Each structure stands twice: as structure tokens, then as C-alpha cells.
Amino acid sequence: MEKLKEIRSYMDENGIDTALITTPDNVFYLSGFKSNPHERLLAVAVFRDAEPFVIAPKMELPDVQAAGWTGDAVGHEDTDDAWEIVARSVKERGIAPSLIAIEKSHMNVERYERLRELYPEAAFTGLDSKLNAMRNIKDEAELEKLREAARLADYAVEVGCREIAEGKTELEILTAIEFEMKKKGVSHMSFDTMVLSGKKTASPHGKPGSRKIQKGDFILFDLGVVWEGYCSDITRTVAFGEPTAEMREIYETVRRAEQAAVEAVQPGIRAMDLDKTARDVITEAGYGEYFTHRLGHGLGISVHEFPSLHGSNEMELEEGMVFTIEPGIYHPEITGVRIEDDVVVTADGVEVLTQFPKELQIIG
Amino acid sequence: MEKLKEIRSYMDENGIDTALITTPDNVFYLSGFKSNPHERLLAVAVFRDAEPFVIAPKMELPDVQAAGWTGDAVGHEDTDDAWEIVARSVKERGIAPSLIAIEKSHMNVERYERLRELYPEAAFTGLDSKLNAMRNIKDEAELEKLREAARLADYAVEVGCREIAEGKTELEILTAIEFEMKKKGVSHMSFDTMVLSGKKTASPHGKPGSRKIQKGDFILFDLGVVWEGYCSDITRTVAFGEPTAEMREIYETVRRAEQAAVEAVQPGIRAMDLDKTARDVITEAGYGEYFTHRLGHGLGISVHEFPSLHGSNEMELEEGMVFTIEPGIYHPEITGVRIEDDVVVTADGVEVLTQFPKELQIIG
């Protein structure tokens, strides 16, 4: 498998003989097996000079294989000392670890102390930055899943628009959307679905409730699905009946800002400059103080991952990075508007994954 | 606050001058503030000889106070080094830590190394077992929240039963339940709601889907809500139309097993013996091989916490412990049945929090 090969050459270059990957998202990334093991041990063990193995709770072993892992998989039960089993499997491979790579931002002190007991002569190093760098760049198989997740998010917004009717509550619309997603085989939304109406749209972290929508409202959908382990995240703001001129102006400002940032995406542009591209449009229109958050965030196995699109991130974008572009204006007296797309940096520009129209949709 | 006082006397007894609590659930337990900070630092710092403080992302400080924390609260922004701010606040209190307690099963190696850099002379110890022991015994304020969470779970099952009708899918019933809960102000279910019908009830981890329910099915609801930070977890199995004699026999066996375990609850009984009480009933009826999991699990801020009610746990139950009792029989050719209550160990026996009837309900 390509990804394991890349880990191994990194190990080669850095004199690492043993690597233990324990973040559930990274275990999924390397093995295809997604699970939340809670306090139980789940890890991929990779060696410079031997075959890798997965260690997982015994009852999950069939799922490890079903997920496509063709290597060795060892199980442990609640009455076992899982670390003894790790040590035995390492020994069986003829490995005596001298430099062990772990995920320092994930492994807890209890496990670390246990490992140091098992291998008192070994040194430890972090694998975190290598894994982050790898996950930052999506390959074609990952992009295919992200595209499908985005298509489902588009459809979810379509369902939401269809449900809009005088007197319906935010929660009723939300429930209809999630029900339709479940019927499409989506087992989890990528975060709590947001359906906000009227002035509530002006709260970037508002909570859907029993407010009944009414003519003249903007309605904001912010939602995403998890599809084969990959997340989407879309925001659209639509009008129920005729909006006022002020509402239209805010909408069009956000739309221009969003479009400007999307069009500026290409390899080599810095994250901070992309943020500035959108922010300048909003500031020049006089709404700068109402755009209160960063431009966007990376998207993949996690709904928030690298890169972060904020005003002081000097990182240059590269082909294969996937992130959201989601400027907003939150005017407490008029309305809130946010428009969010999921985009991929391509060799010569950008691929936009979310396709729901951005021209102001006026419903009813 | 009582709980902080208890932490402080533990620190006194063990010569700990500084404690850093970082698990979101334990931060909530000690401060009343519930938040998932992701990679950002959120902690309660407790001292033997000085006032405690909460450190949290700056934008969340108003929520910390709104949650009832009356002590000091310091904020950090993404551009700050949060640990520098911790060190400064510790220093301002005139504390030079020499023995620092951390949650070893939660703190990651990256943070631990940072702490050891900040305090190279200090020793470190775990606070985990003390916190687990405290959370194991619920006080009256916690019980009040657990009671309300259980009442809402009862109501959710009631809603589910009302929704049962020929041709409806599991997902339709599930959606109606969750919608009603949201209307009651429940923002999160405590885990993925389960509505299974027909033979699917025989899978303890089955997934609700588009199967249409039909007369002669058993329908299994397993669900819970989070209420003011505390979880409930109920299972009821009901009949849609007349069940067969075999189905009835399985149902009554589970009911007798569950009832026997509930009635056996009292201070001093061992967890393993409670498991055995229910298991014996099922085994004697000839279904032992179909009861494939432990009797139950602790319940509180987490939906799975201590104590664990399994066949080799010798822990004696104590007044104030809260857990589920949930025997089941999963017969692939006939049906699955599980009945689950949330119970509290009282001074002289048991208080059952979930109240939905356990006599077989025949609907339609």
C-alpha cells in the first residue's frame, strides 16, 4: 500500500525502526479500518524491516479484514494486557526497537510509560508532522470519496430548500434533511446540522430550534455528511420570499467575496492571501467588522483538519489540498449570510466540489 | 465547591501541590463547563495552597462563567502559547510546583513534554484513579439530572411505540423519536439511536435502516439522551401484533433475568454476582449461549463509565453508583430481546430511573 510505503521511507531516512500509529483517523488512513476503540488499544505497527500489523479488540478483527487490511491483524480481549501482545508480535518479527515513532499529540502518558517499560533502551520520536503532511495532500481515491460526500451535501441543501414553507420550524426542516440523508445510506452527518432562519442567521454558532420560518427570512443551511470515512461541509443561504435591498446587498457581497477566493485558488498562493482576497471584498463593501472568523479549514477524514485558512498562515497551498472557503457577514440588525464551498487545489487552479447554485435562490 | 475540596484533601494527603485536569468530562465535573476544545487547551488547575483557575480558549470564557464557574478563568488565543499562560498564572499564585498530578490516561506526550520543560524539577503523578473513584459515586444534584435524562428516555420509547404502524421503516420511527426529543430541548442523544425490527433485533449492534416493519415483529428501541451533561440509556423490546410462543418465551426469560438483577442490587453485592444473577436465569432457560455481552455499564457524564458489570469484576457496589442492567437474548432464528434499565444503588437497595413498562407491550 502506497501510504505505508511512504511511512517506511520516512522511517528509513530518520533511522526509525518501529512506528506505532494510534489516532483512530490515522489508523483509518493507513489501514482502511475506521473505529473508535475508546480506552481499548487500536494501532497500526509499521517496521522498517518487517511486515506491519494491526492490533485491535478481538471482536473487531473481522471488520479489520472486511475494511481491506490484508496484512497481519492481532486481537486482544479485555482480560489481556494488550501491550504484552504488541511486544510479542514485535519480537516474533525479530525486531528489537531502538528508535520508536509515536503520535505524540495523541498517545497518552499512561501508554507512553508502559512502552518505555517494555523498551527501556529505546528512544522515542514523533510521527505527527509526517502524518499531518501526508494527510494534507489527498490522492485520487480520497478525492473520489470527497466528491461523493460533497454531492450528498448538495442534495441535502436541495432537500432543505424543498422543505421550506410558511410556519415550518427550523427543527422540522433539519429533521427532514437528515432523514433523507439516512435513506441515502449516510450513517453520520459530519457535524451537527445547522438550519437557522431570520435574525438567527447572524449567529455563526446558532442552534436550530422551534422558530417558525416566515416570508422575508433568510434561511441558512450549514451541513455535511461522512461518506466512506470522508467529510463534506457546505453552507448556503437562501431567501424565503422577497428579501430587502439591505439583505440582497449583504448576500451579493458575500457571494463576490466567496467567488473571488475560489477563483484565486492555485498552487503557490499562501493561505493568508486567500483569506485576504475574500476579506478585502467584504471590508471594501463596509462589512469588515461583521466577518468574524477565518476563511476556512482543511477537510478530509476529519471535518476540521489542516490546512487552516487564516490571516496569519503563511503556508503555500499545494496541489491536492482540500479545504472549505466560507466567508460570512453576520449583521445582528439585518441578517447573517454565509456561503461555503469545498475546494481542491489542482495543478492549474481549483476544482469546486460543492455545486449547489450560489445565485440567490428565492423560494416561495 | 465540594468536589474541588475533595480533590484538595487528596492532594494534601499525597503531597501534591498542583493538579491539572484536562479530560473534557472531568473539566465539566469540576467546573460545570462542558466543551470539546479539540486540540486547544482546556484545563482546571487546582492547588493545595492557592485558588484554582480554569484555562480555556478566550472566546469560550463567557460560557465558562455562564456555566457557574465563579473562580478565576484565563483565556488563550490561537496565537498564544497556552502553556506560557498556565505557567504565568501558577507563578502569580506564588506556587513553584514540585509534585504535579495529571490525568495520565488523557494527557498526551506532547503536552507532558512541554510541562516537563516548564517544570524540570517537578515530579509527576496520576490523578486518574481518584477522579474515577469520585465520579463513580453520584451526589444528589447529579442524580436529579440522571432522573430527568431517564424520564426523557422513557418518553422517547413512548413516542417510538406511538409511531409503530404497518409499513413504516425503522428510520422513519427513529427520525420521529429524535425530532420529538429535539422539541423537548434535547440537543444530543447519548449515542446513535437504535430502532430494529424483526430478525434484526438479534444483532446487538444492528443498524436501523429502510426495513419496513410488519405484524409479528418485535421492535427493539435502544436510546438515551444527554440532559444537562448527564446521559440516559434505555432498551425496550415491544411486539407489533401477536408474537409467537417462542418469542414470548424469550421475552419473558429476559424480563425475569432483568428483574432478578434489578432486585439484587444493594450495597455490598459484587458486580460479577449481579451479572451472574441475570445470566443464571437465562442459562437455566436454555438460552445462555445467546446472551453474548456483559450485564451493564456505569452511566453518568459518559454513557459508558465505571463500574463495569461483567462476570469477572469483583468490585463491591456502593450507594450512589449508577449503571445499566441490560440482559439480552439474541436468537438468530427467532428474535432478539433486550431490556435495559438505569439504576442507582441506594442505602438499602435500588432506585430504578427508567420507568417505561416491562410487561410485554403488544401494539396494533
Side-chain angles (χ1 to χ4, degrees):
Chain A
M1 194 205 187
E2 278 314 303
K3 291 184 185 98
L4 284 176
K5 230 187 245 172
E6 190 173 340
I7 298 276
R8 272 166 132 171
S9 33
Y10 177 84
M11 291 168 70
D12 247 346
E13 288 156 25
N14 293 277
I16 299 163
D17 47 68
T18 304
L20 283 171
I21 293 96
T22 49
T23 322
D25 279 357
N26 284 333
V27 169
F28 171 65
Y29 184 67
L30 296 177
S31 73
F33 175 59
K34 195 159 201 171
S35 170
N36 181 346
H38 298 285
E39 74 290 356
R40 296 186 176 100
L41 182 63
L42 171 68
V44 182
V46 186
F47 306 94
R48 200 177 38 197
D49 306 313
E51 287 306 303
F53 66 85
V54 165
I55 176 156
K58 196 168 239 166
M59 58 184 173
E60 298 194 359
L61 286 186
D63 302 325
V64 174
Q65 271 127 14
W69 175 257
T70 54
D72 202 6
V74 294
H76 62 91
E77 299 193 79
D78 286 354
T79 46
D80 291 332
D81 178 346
W83 290 103
E84 289 290 345
I85 295 175
V86 169
R88 199 187 312 143
S89 304
V90 170
K91 205 174 170 189
E92 278 167 11
R93 281 165 172 72
I95 307 287
S98 70
L99 181 55
I100 303 177
I102 58 174
E103 291 182 88
K104 287 194 174 185
S105 60
H106 178 258
M107 180 171 283
N108 70 39
V109 174
E110 192 173 279
R111 287 180 171 182
Y112 183 53
E113 290 183 343
R114 187 81 180 87
L115 260 181
R116 294 208 300 184
E117 261 171 44
L118 282 174
Y119 302 110
E121 307 298 324
F124 289 84
T125 185
L127 195 64
D128 308 67
S129 54
K130 175 62 187 169
L131 284 163
N132 286 343
M134 285 173 68
R135 283 195 37 199
N136 229 336
I137 308 294
K138 271 71 178 177
D139 66 23
E140 190 47 38
E142 294 183 281
L143 290 176
E144 215 23 79
K145 291 168 188 166
L146 287 160
R147 283 185 194 108
E148 185 57 27
R151 271 191 287 268
L152 283 160
D154 283 338
Y155 176 57
V157 174
E158 204 183 306
V159 172
C161 289
R162 225 156 55 198
E163 289 292 322
I164 289 173
E166 189 87 43
K168 271 206 193 170
T169 67
E170 296 163 347
L171 280 177
E172 280 170 329
I173 296 171
L174 183 161
T175 298
I177 293 171
E178 293 192 346
F179 177 52
E180 189 63 25
M181 287 299 104
K182 279 182 180 141
K183 283 202 287 183
K184 291 282 175 193
V186 170
S187 64
H188 289 96
M189 304 302 285
S190 52
F191 56 91
D192 290 346
T193 299
M194 194 181 272
V195 177
L196 299 176
S197 64
K199 298 276 166 62
K200 287 178 73 182
T201 54
S203 164
H205 296 286
K207 227 174 87 64
S210 297
R211 182 180 183 278
K212 290 188 162 78
I213 63 171
Q214 53 196 61
K215 284 282 172 84
D217 281 350
F218 268 169
I219 294 160
L220 183 151
F221 301 100
D222 187 356
L223 56 84
V225 310
V226 186
W227 186 255
E228 295 187 3
Y230 285 78
C231 298
S232 55
D233 185 357
I234 190 174
T235 306
R236 287 295 185 269
T237 308
V238 304
F240 181 36
E242 269 310 310
T244 65
E246 278 174 313
M247 288 165 75
R248 271 185 190 273
E249 185 185 313
I250 288 177
Y251 187 90
E252 291 306 326
T253 304
V254 174
R255 182 153 88 99
R256 282 189 295 119
E258 205 264 348
Q259 197 55 37
V262 167
E263 285 168 14
V265 172
Q266 57 173 8
I269 189 173
R270 294 181 303 178
M272 60 191 285
D273 294 330
L274 210 57
D275 180 277
K276 190 170 182 308
T277 302
R279 203 168 299 274
D280 282 352
V281 174
I282 290 174
T283 304
E284 278 159 26
Y287 295 105
E289 65 181 304
Y290 301 114
F291 177 17
T292 48
H293 55 71
R294 63 181 171 174
L295 181 66
H297 54 82
L299 192 69
I301 297 170
S302 305
V303 69
H304 287 143
E305 56 180 54
F306 291 107
S308 178
L309 285 290
H310 64 72
S312 53
N313 185 357
E314 301 184 8
M315 171 191 261
E316 289 184 6
L317 300 183
E318 290 174 51
E319 186 181 346
M321 288 184 176
V322 176
F323 49 85
T324 68
I325 292 185
E326 49 176 310
I329 294 176
Y330 309 95
H331 195 303
E333 273 103 55
I334 305 173
T335 190
V337 170
R338 182 169 60 254
I339 300 175
E340 174 185 30
D341 281 319
D342 302 341
V343 305
V344 188
V345 184
T346 61
D348 56 358
V350 65
E351 175 188 347
V352 183
L353 302 181
T354 37
Q355 297 282 336
F356 191 90
K358 293 185 275 193
E359 301 77 32
L360 180 58
Q361 306 288 303
I362 300 177
I363 293 162
Chain B
M1 195 204 187
E2 277 316 302
K3 292 184 184 97
L4 284 176
K5 231 186 242 172
E6 190 173 340
I7 297 278
R8 273 165 130 171
S9 31
Y10 177 83
M11 291 168 71
D12 247 347
E13 287 157 25
N14 293 278
I16 298 163
D17 47 70
T18 304
L20 283 171
I21 293 96
T22 49
T23 321
D25 279 357
N26 283 333
V27 168
F28 171 66
Y29 184 66
L30 296 177
S31 73
F33 175 59
K34 194 160 201 171
S35 171
N36 180 347
H38 300 284
E39 73 290 356
R40 296 186 176 100
L41 181 64
L42 171 67
V44 182
V46 186
F47 306 94
R48 199 176 41 196
D49 305 314
E51 288 305 305
F53 66 86
V54 165
I55 177 156
K58 196 169 238 165
M59 59 185 173
E60 297 194 0
L61 286 186
D63 302 324
V64 174
Q65 272 127 14
W69 175 256
T70 54
D72 202 7
V74 294
H76 63 89
E77 299 192 80
D78 286 355
T79 46
D80 291 333
D81 177 346
W83 290 102
E84 288 289 344
I85 296 176
V86 170
R88 199 188 311 145
S89 303
V90 170
K91 206 173 171 189
E92 279 168 10
R93 281 165 172 71
I95 307 288
S98 70
L99 182 54
I100 303 177
I102 58 174
E103 290 181 89
K104 287 193 174 186
S105 60
H106 177 258
M107 181 172 283
N108 68 39
V109 174
E110 191 174 280
R111 288 181 170 181
Y112 183 52
E113 289 183 344
R114 187 82 180 89
L115 260 180
R116 294 208 299 184
E117 260 170 44
L118 282 173
Y119 302 111
E121 307 297 323
F124 289 83
T125 185
L127 195 63
D128 308 68
S129 54
K130 175 61 188 169
L131 283 163
N132 286 343
M134 285 173 67
R135 283 197 34 201
N136 229 335
I137 308 295
K138 271 70 177 178
D139 65 24
E140 190 47 39
E142 294 183 281
L143 291 176
E144 214 24 80
K145 291 168 189 167
L146 287 160
R147 283 186 194 107
E148 184 58 26
R151 270 191 287 268
L152 283 159
D154 284 337
Y155 177 57
V157 174
E158 204 183 307
V159 172
C161 289
R162 227 157 54 199
E163 290 292 322
I164 289 172
E166 188 88 42
K168 270 205 194 172
T169 68
E170 296 164 347
L171 281 178
E172 282 171 328
I173 297 172
L174 182 161
T175 297
I177 292 172
E178 293 193 345
F179 178 51
E180 189 63 25
M181 287 297 105
K182 280 185 180 137
K183 285 202 286 183
K184 291 280 176 194
V186 170
S187 63
H188 290 96
M189 305 302 284
S190 52
F191 55 91
D192 291 346
T193 298
M194 194 181 271
V195 177
L196 298 176
S197 64
K199 297 276 166 60
K200 287 179 72 181
T201 54
S203 164
H205 297 285
K207 227 173 87 64
S210 297
R211 183 182 184 280
K212 289 187 161 78
I213 63 171
Q214 52 197 63
K215 283 284 172 81
D217 282 349
F218 269 169
I219 294 160
L220 184 150
F221 301 100
D222 187 353
L223 56 86
V225 310
V226 185
W227 186 255
E228 295 188 1
Y230 285 77
C231 297
S232 56
D233 186 358
I234 189 174
T235 305
R236 288 294 186 271
T237 308
V238 303
F240 180 38
E242 269 311 310
T244 64
E246 279 175 314
M247 288 165 74
R248 273 184 189 275
E249 184 184 313
I250 289 178
Y251 187 90
E252 291 307 325
T253 305
V254 174
R255 183 153 90 98
R256 281 188 295 115
E258 204 265 349
Q259 196 57 37
V262 167
E263 285 168 13
V265 172
Q266 57 173 5
I269 188 174
R270 293 182 304 178
M272 59 191 288
D273 294 330
L274 211 57
D275 181 276
K276 189 171 185 307
T277 303
R279 203 168 299 274
D280 283 352
V281 174
I282 290 174
T283 303
E284 280 158 27
Y287 296 104
E289 64 180 302
Y290 301 114
F291 177 16
T292 49
H293 54 71
R294 62 181 171 176
L295 180 66
H297 53 82
L299 191 69
I301 297 171
S302 306
V303 70
H304 287 143
E305 56 181 54
F306 291 108
S308 177
L309 285 290
H310 63 73
S312 54
N313 184 359
E314 300 184 9
M315 171 192 261
E316 289 185 5
L317 301 182
E318 290 173 52
E319 185 181 347
M321 287 184 178
V322 176
F323 49 84
T324 68
I325 291 184
E326 48 176 311
I329 294 176
Y330 309 96
H331 195 301
E333 274 102 55
I334 305 172
T335 189
V337 170
R338 182 168 61 252
I339 301 175
E340 175 185 31
D341 281 319
D342 302 340
V343 305
V344 188
V345 184
T346 61
D348 56 358
V350 65
E351 175 187 348
V352 183
L353 301 181
T354 36
Q355 297 283 334
F356 191 91
K358 292 183 278 193
E359 302 77 32
L360 180 58
Q361 306 288 303
I362 300 176
I363 293 163

Short mmCIF file of all heavy atoms in Angstrom, two decimals, chain A residues 141-176:
data_model
loop_
_atom_site.label_atom_id
_atom_site.label_comp_id
_atom_site.label_asym_id
_atom_site.label_seq_id
_atom_site.Cartn_x
_atom_site.Cartn_y
_atom_site.Cartn_z
N ALA A 141 -8.06 8.51 -4.92
CA ALA A 141 -9.08 7.69 -4.25
C ALA A 141 -9.78 8.51 -3.16
O ALA A 141 -11.00 8.40 -2.97
CB ALA A 141 -8.44 6.44 -3.66
N GLU A 142 -9.01 9.30 -2.45
CA GLU A 142 -9.62 10.15 -1.42
C GLU A 142 -10.51 11.22 -2.05
O GLU A 142 -11.61 11.51 -1.56
CB GLU A 142 -8.51 10.82 -0.58
CG GLU A 142 -7.69 9.85 0.23
CD GLU A 142 -6.66 10.58 1.09
OE1 GLU A 142 -5.61 10.98 0.55
OE2 GLU A 142 -6.93 10.76 2.28
N LEU A 143 -10.04 11.80 -3.14
CA LEU A 143 -10.83 12.84 -3.81
C LEU A 143 -12.17 12.28 -4.28
O LEU A 143 -13.20 12.95 -4.20
CB LEU A 143 -10.05 13.44 -4.99
CG LEU A 143 -8.85 14.30 -4.59
CD1 LEU A 143 -8.08 14.76 -5.83
CD2 LEU A 143 -9.28 15.51 -3.75
N GLU A 144 -12.18 11.03 -4.74
CA GLU A 144 -13.43 10.45 -5.21
C GLU A 144 -14.45 10.39 -4.07
O GLU A 144 -15.63 10.68 -4.26
CB GLU A 144 -13.14 9.05 -5.80
CG GLU A 144 -14.01 8.69 -6.99
CD GLU A 144 -14.59 9.89 -7.75
OE1 GLU A 144 -13.90 10.53 -8.57
OE2 GLU A 144 -15.78 10.18 -7.51
N LYS A 145 -13.98 10.04 -2.87
CA LYS A 145 -14.90 9.99 -1.72
C LYS A 145 -15.35 11.39 -1.31
O LYS A 145 -16.51 11.61 -0.96
CB LYS A 145 -14.21 9.29 -0.55
CG LYS A 145 -14.01 7.80 -0.84
CD LYS A 145 -13.10 7.14 0.17
CE LYS A 145 -12.78 5.72 -0.30
NZ LYS A 145 -11.66 5.13 0.44
N LEU A 146 -14.43 12.33 -1.38
CA LEU A 146 -14.79 13.71 -1.03
C LEU A 146 -15.80 14.28 -2.03
O LEU A 146 -16.71 15.03 -1.66
CB LEU A 146 -13.53 14.58 -0.98
CG LEU A 146 -12.65 14.33 0.26
CD1 LEU A 146 -11.22 14.83 0.03
CD2 LEU A 146 -13.26 15.00 1.49
N ARG A 147 -15.65 13.90 -3.30
CA ARG A 147 -16.61 14.37 -4.31
C ARG A 147 -18.00 13.83 -4.01
O ARG A 147 -18.99 14.56 -4.08
CB ARG A 147 -16.18 13.90 -5.71
CG ARG A 147 -15.05 14.70 -6.30
CD ARG A 147 -14.73 14.30 -7.75
NE ARG A 147 -13.44 14.87 -8.11
CZ ARG A 147 -12.31 14.17 -8.27
NH1 ARG A 147 -12.32 12.85 -8.17
NH2 ARG A 147 -11.18 14.79 -8.56
N GLU A 148 -18.07 12.55 -3.67
CA GLU A 148 -19.38 11.96 -3.38
C GLU A 148 -19.98 12.58 -2.12
O GLU A 148 -21.18 12.85 -2.06
CB GLU A 148 -19.26 10.44 -3.25
CG GLU A 148 -20.58 9.71 -3.06
CD GLU A 148 -21.59 9.96 -4.18
OE1 GLU A 148 -21.19 10.27 -5.32
OE2 GLU A 148 -22.82 9.88 -3.88
N ALA A 149 -19.14 12.79 -1.10
CA ALA A 149 -19.63 13.44 0.13
C ALA A 149 -20.19 14.83 -0.20
O ALA A 149 -21.22 15.25 0.34
CB ALA A 149 -18.50 13.54 1.16
N ALA A 150 -19.53 15.54 -1.11
CA ALA A 150 -19.99 16.88 -1.50
C ALA A 150 -21.29 16.80 -2.27
O ALA A 150 -22.21 17.62 -2.06
CB ALA A 150 -18.91 17.59 -2.31
N ARG A 151 -21.40 15.81 -3.17
CA ARG A 151 -22.64 15.65 -3.92
C ARG A 151 -23.82 15.41 -2.97
O ARG A 151 -24.91 15.97 -3.15
CB ARG A 151 -22.54 14.45 -4.88
CG ARG A 151 -21.99 14.81 -6.25
CD ARG A 151 -22.17 13.64 -7.24
NE ARG A 151 -21.24 12.55 -6.99
CZ ARG A 151 -20.05 12.42 -7.56
NH1 ARG A 151 -19.62 13.31 -8.44
NH2 ARG A 151 -19.27 11.39 -7.28
N LEU A 152 -23.59 14.61 -1.95
CA LEU A 152 -24.67 14.35 -0.99
C LEU A 152 -25.01 15.62 -0.22
O LEU A 152 -26.17 15.86 0.11
CB LEU A 152 -24.25 13.22 -0.04
CG LEU A 152 -24.34 11.82 -0.68
CD1 LEU A 152 -23.46 10.83 0.08
CD2 LEU A 152 -25.79 11.35 -0.70
N ALA A 153 -24.01 16.44 0.08
CA ALA A 153 -24.27 17.70 0.79
C ALA A 153 -25.09 18.64 -0.10
O ALA A 153 -26.02 19.31 0.37
CB ALA A 153 -22.95 18.35 1.21
N ASP A 154 -24.74 18.69 -1.40
CA ASP A 154 -25.55 19.48 -2.33
C ASP A 154 -27.02 19.04 -2.27
O ASP A 154 -27.93 19.86 -2.21
CB ASP A 154 -25.07 19.24 -3.78
CG ASP A 154 -23.79 19.99 -4.10
OD1 ASP A 154 -23.48 20.98 -3.43
OD2 ASP A 154 -23.10 19.56 -5.05
N TYR A 155 -27.20 17.73 -2.31
CA TYR A 155 -28.56 17.19 -2.32
C TYR A 155 -29.28 17.52 -1.01
O TYR A 155 -30.47 17.84 -1.00
CB TYR A 155 -28.50 15.68 -2.56
CG TYR A 155 -29.86 15.02 -2.49
CD1 TYR A 155 -30.89 15.45 -3.32
CD2 TYR A 155 -30.11 14.00 -1.58
CE1 TYR A 155 -32.15 14.85 -3.25
CE2 TYR A 155 -31.36 13.40 -1.51
CZ TYR A 155 -32.37 13.82 -2.35
OH TYR A 155 -33.61 13.24 -2.27
N ALA A 156 -28.52 17.50 0.09
CA ALA A 156 -29.13 17.83 1.39
C ALA A 156 -29.66 19.27 1.40
O ALA A 156 -30.74 19.54 1.92
CB ALA A 156 -28.12 17.62 2.52
N VAL A 157 -28.92 20.18 0.79
CA VAL A 157 -29.38 21.58 0.72
C VAL A 157 -30.64 21.65 -0.16
O VAL A 157 -31.60 22.35 0.16
CB VAL A 157 -28.27 22.51 0.18
CG1 VAL A 157 -28.83 23.92 -0.03
CG2 VAL A 157 -27.08 22.53 1.13
N GLU A 158 -30.62 20.88 -1.26
CA GLU A 158 -31.79 20.83 -2.14
C GLU A 158 -33.02 20.37 -1.35
O GLU A 158 -34.09 20.95 -1.47
CB GLU A 158 -31.47 19.84 -3.25
CG GLU A 158 -32.24 20.02 -4.52
CD GLU A 158 -31.87 18.90 -5.51
OE1 GLU A 158 -30.65 18.73 -5.77
OE2 GLU A 158 -32.78 18.19 -5.96
N VAL A 159 -32.84 19.32 -0.55
CA VAL A 159 -33.95 18.82 0.27
C VAL A 159 -34.42 19.92 1.22
O VAL A 159 -35.62 20.18 1.37
CB VAL A 159 -33.51 17.58 1.08
CG1 VAL A 159 -34.58 17.18 2.10
CG2 VAL A 159 -33.20 16.42 0.14
N GLY A 160 -33.47 20.60 1.83
CA GLY A 160 -33.82 21.69 2.77
C GLY A 160 -34.65 22.76 2.07
O GLY A 160 -35.66 23.23 2.60
N CYS A 161 -34.25 23.13 0.87
CA CYS A 161 -34.99 24.17 0.14
C CYS A 161 -36.42 23.71 -0.18
O CYS A 161 -37.37 24.48 -0.09
CB CYS A 161 -34.26 24.52 -1.16
SG CYS A 161 -32.74 25.43 -0.87
N ARG A 162 -36.53 22.44 -0.54
CA ARG A 162 -37.84 21.87 -0.87
C ARG A 162 -38.77 21.89 0.33
O ARG A 162 -39.99 21.95 0.19
CB ARG A 162 -37.62 20.42 -1.30
CG ARG A 162 -38.36 20.02 -2.52
CD ARG A 162 -37.72 18.84 -3.22
NE ARG A 162 -37.54 17.69 -2.34
CZ ARG A 162 -36.68 16.69 -2.62
NH1 ARG A 162 -35.93 16.73 -3.72
NH2 ARG A 162 -36.56 15.68 -1.80
N GLU A 163 -38.19 21.81 1.52
CA GLU A 163 -39.00 21.72 2.74
C GLU A 163 -39.48 23.08 3.23
O GLU A 163 -40.32 23.16 4.12
CB GLU A 163 -38.17 21.06 3.85
CG GLU A 163 -37.92 19.59 3.64
CD GLU A 163 -39.19 18.76 3.75
OE1 GLU A 163 -40.04 19.08 4.62
OE2 GLU A 163 -39.33 17.80 2.97
N ILE A 164 -38.91 24.14 2.68
CA ILE A 164 -39.25 25.48 3.17
C ILE A 164 -40.72 25.79 2.91
O ILE A 164 -41.19 25.67 1.79
CB ILE A 164 -38.34 26.53 2.52
CG1 ILE A 164 -36.91 26.39 3.07
CG2 ILE A 164 -38.88 27.95 2.73
CD1 ILE A 164 -35.88 27.26 2.39
N ALA A 165 -41.44 26.17 3.97
CA ALA A 165 -42.84 26.57 3.83
C ALA A 165 -43.23 27.37 5.07
O ALA A 165 -42.68 27.15 6.17
CB ALA A 165 -43.73 25.34 3.69
N GLU A 166 -44.11 28.30 4.86
CA GLU A 166 -44.59 29.18 5.94
C GLU A 166 -44.92 28.37 7.19
O GLU A 166 -45.67 27.39 7.12
CB GLU A 166 -45.83 29.93 5.45
CG GLU A 166 -46.32 31.04 6.37
CD GLU A 166 -45.63 32.37 6.09
OE1 GLU A 166 -45.47 32.73 4.90
OE2 GLU A 166 -45.21 33.04 7.07
N GLY A 167 -44.37 28.77 8.31
CA GLY A 167 -44.76 28.17 9.58
C GLY A 167 -43.98 26.94 9.99
O GLY A 167 -44.09 26.48 11.12
N LYS A 168 -43.21 26.37 9.07
CA LYS A 168 -42.37 25.22 9.46
C LYS A 168 -41.26 25.69 10.38
O LYS A 168 -40.75 26.81 10.24
CB LYS A 168 -41.75 24.58 8.22
CG LYS A 168 -42.61 23.50 7.63
CD LYS A 168 -41.77 22.50 6.85
CE LYS A 168 -42.68 21.62 6.02
NZ LYS A 168 -41.93 20.80 5.07
N THR A 169 -40.86 24.84 11.31
CA THR A 169 -39.77 25.23 12.20
C THR A 169 -38.42 24.81 11.63
O THR A 169 -38.34 23.93 10.77
CB THR A 169 -39.92 24.59 13.60
OG1 THR A 169 -39.74 23.18 13.47
CG2 THR A 169 -41.29 24.86 14.20
N GLU A 170 -37.38 25.44 12.15
CA GLU A 170 -36.01 25.07 11.77
C GLU A 170 -35.79 23.59 12.01
O GLU A 170 -35.22 22.89 11.17
CB GLU A 170 -35.01 25.90 12.59
CG GLU A 170 -35.08 27.39 12.32
CD GLU A 170 -34.40 28.23 13.39
OE1 GLU A 170 -34.08 27.70 14.48
OE2 GLU A 170 -34.20 29.45 13.14
N LEU A 171 -36.26 23.11 13.17
CA LEU A 171 -36.04 21.70 13.51
C LEU A 171 -36.77 20.75 12.56
O LEU A 171 -36.28 19.67 12.26
CB LEU A 171 -36.48 21.42 14.95
CG LEU A 171 -35.51 21.83 16.04
CD1 LEU A 171 -36.12 21.55 17.41
CD2 LEU A 171 -34.18 21.09 15.90
N GLU A 172 -37.95 21.15 12.10
CA GLU A 172 -38.68 20.30 11.16
C GLU A 172 -37.91 20.16 9.85
O GLU A 172 -37.81 19.07 9.28
CB GLU A 172 -40.09 20.86 10.90
CG GLU A 172 -41.06 20.52 12.02
CD GLU A 172 -42.39 21.27 11.89
OE1 GLU A 172 -42.40 22.41 11.37
OE2 GLU A 172 -43.41 20.73 12.34
N ILE A 173 -37.36 21.25 9.39
CA ILE A 173 -36.60 21.22 8.13
C ILE A 173 -35.34 20.38 8.32
O ILE A 173 -35.00 19.53 7.49
CB ILE A 173 -36.28 22.66 7.67
CG1 ILE A 173 -37.60 23.40 7.37
CG2 ILE A 173 -35.36 22.65 6.46
CD1 ILE A 173 -37.43 24.88 7.12
N LEU A 174 -34.65 20.60 9.45
CA LEU A 174 -33.44 19.84 9.77
C LEU A 174 -33.72 18.34 9.81
O LEU A 174 -32.98 17.53 9.24
CB LEU A 174 -32.92 20.34 11.12
CG LEU A 174 -31.63 19.78 11.70
CD1 LEU A 174 -31.10 20.75 12.77
CD2 LEU A 174 -31.81 18.42 12.36
N THR A 175 -34.82 17.98 10.46
CA THR A 175 -35.17 16.56 10.59
C THR A 175 -35.43 15.94 9.22
O THR A 175 -34.99 14.82 8.94
CB THR A 175 -36.41 16.42 11.49
OG1 THR A 175 -36.07 16.92 12.79
CG2 THR A 175 -36.86 14.98 11.61
N ALA A 176 -36.10 16.69 8.35
CA ALA A 176 -36.39 16.17 7.01
C ALA A 176 -35.09 15.94 6.22
O ALA A 176 -34.94 14.95 5.50
CB ALA A 176 -37.31 17.14 6.25
#
